[in-house]
Structure formats: C-alpha cells, structure tokens
Amino acid sequence: MLRVLKRTPYFVTNVQSRIKLPEKFKGTIIEKWTNYWKNLFIDYRQMFQDLRTDIQDDPRKALIWTTGITTLYALAKNNPNEIDFKDIMKRVTNDVILVSEDCRNPKSIEHLRYIQKCYNEGVIHYRSLGIISFMYTCEINDSCDLYKAHCSYLKPSYSSLFSRMVDVGFMGKWWNTYIKTTNYDVNM
C-alpha cells in the first residue's frame, strides 16, 4: 500500500505535464475548468505525500485512526432501521402466539401489546443517529390537528425523552425488545 501511495504523486505530475490546452480555449470557461482540476490534483498529490509521511512517522496513530474509522463504518452499516424493528416485532409476536397463554411471560406480552397499540395510534416514531437508532413515542398522532399539537408550551420536554423511549437499536439489534422478549415462554 505504501508503494502505491509513493507512486501516486508522480503519476499525477506526469499526467499534468502531458495535457496541454489549445490556444482557442485560452481565457474561456474550459481553461478555468482545467485549472480547477489541475489544482485539485495538486492538492490531492500533496495530501497523499503528507499521508505517506504521517503513516511512516507514527504508525500507531495511523493504526488507531484506521481502527476507529473502520469501527464507526461497521457500526453505521449494521445500524437497524424501522423495517428491522417491525420485522423483529412480527417474528417475536408469531413466536409468542405459538406458546400457550399459561406459559407466556406477562412482561413480554405487555411490551408487545404496548408497541402494537402505539403503531395503531400512529404515535411511534423512528430516529437514526448514524450508529444508533431510537424508537420513541409522542402523545399525539402527526395527523392530529388539535391545539395541543401546535402549542409550543404543551410540547414534551427533553427531560421526558427517556420515559418516551421504546427501544434502542445498536449493532444490528433492538435491545429493549431483545431483553424483554428473550424469555417470552417463561411465566414468572
């Protein structure tokens, strides 16, 4: 990889020296456009040279940065979305239905019914922050046109955010649903 980074600036310089603009394009937008791209290539050439020297000077720092960026990319790639939430809710509900009522865990059933009620009322919402996702509820449906829906003084406060949180999605899993429905067939 270092050899490729070492050869790249020279390759870009050779390409720039071979490209000549005809006289009829001097002073036109085409000349400005080619100058823009030449300067962009120069900037990237300098960036690759700096990157190469930084990697050679401090390989630990480069390893830490590479590991951090790769981890963030993997977390963002595995961030669950609302479709995943609906899918897991359907799967768990189908599994719970197959268990007799005497054996079902009441906490799991209560959680599933609450989420189904929120979907029926249209008060459950999804929000993604890139590497973590949230399912939360609000008091009023979005299509509701009551005074309470428009008054800024009646909006929920930020302190009530955690009480309105239904589930947290991280690393490809919806954790609250997983915790509450793991033992759905154990009546406690």
Side-chain angles (χ1 to χ4, degrees):
M1 184 173 145
L2 287 176
R3 283 188 220 140
V4 172
L5 288 176
K6 194 173 187 177
R7 285 183 289 182
T8 302
Y10 302 113
F11 174 74
V12 172
T13 306
N14 291 338
V15 169
Q16 284 180 353
S17 64
R18 283 187 266 153
I19 297 174
K20 298 289 185 203
L21 202 61
E23 287 296 322
K24 67 179 181 179
F25 293 123
K26 298 283 185 190
T28 62
I29 195 167
I30 295 173
E31 181 185 25
K32 291 178 184 177
W33 193 245
T34 55
N35 287 338
Y36 166 77
W37 285 105
K38 283 181 184 180
N39 290 332
L40 188 70
F41 278 128
I42 291 169
D43 289 343
Y44 274 106
R45 179 184 64 198
Q46 186 62 39
M47 188 263 314
F48 280 124
Q49 288 173 344
D50 293 343
L51 179 65
R52 184 183 69 222
T53 57
D54 288 345
I55 289 172
Q56 289 173 346
D57 291 346
D58 196 2
R60 280 188 190 156
K61 183 178 176 183
L63 178 67
I64 290 170
W65 273 100
T66 305
T67 305
I69 290 171
T70 305
T71 303
L72 286 176
Y73 175 76
L75 289 175
K77 198 75 171 153
N78 291 322
N79 188 21
N81 56 19
E82 187 174 9
I83 295 170
D84 295 332
F85 182 76
K86 288 179 181 179
D87 184 48
I88 194 71
M89 292 308 299
K90 288 176 185 175
R91 280 194 220 164
V92 170
T93 303
N94 288 339
D95 290 344
V96 168
I97 287 172
L98 297 175
V99 176
S100 73
E101 289 187 27
D102 296 335
C103 296
R104 292 181 191 163
N105 188 344
K107 292 180 182 177
S108 298
I109 299 299
E110 181 183 333
H111 180 69
L112 293 173
R113 284 186 181 152
Y114 174 71
I115 292 173
Q116 187 62 40
K117 180 183 147 217
C118 290
Y119 267 115
N120 289 340
E121 293 175 359
V123 295
I124 195 164
H125 299 286
Y126 167 78
R127 194 67 68 213
S128 175
L129 299 179
I131 61 171
I132 191 166
S133 297
F134 298 104
M135 293 298 289
Y136 64 95
T137 61
C138 61
E139 294 178 8
I140 301 173
N141 190 340
D142 288 338
S143 63
C144 183
D145 201 22
L146 295 173
Y147 175 73
K148 187 176 183 180
H150 298 290
C151 181
S152 62
Y153 294 109
L154 297 176
K155 298 272 185 201
S157 64
Y158 288 109
S159 61
S160 69
L161 182 67
F162 293 110
S163 65
R164 295 183 296 127
M165 197 74 58
V166 174
D167 213 337
V168 176
F170 184 68
M171 294 188 333
K173 190 178 281 192
W174 290 99
W175 288 97
N176 195 24
T177 301
Y178 174 75
I179 290 168
K180 288 189 177 182
T181 60
T182 299
N183 294 326
Y184 63 87
D185 57 348
V186 178
N187 190 357
M188 293 186 223

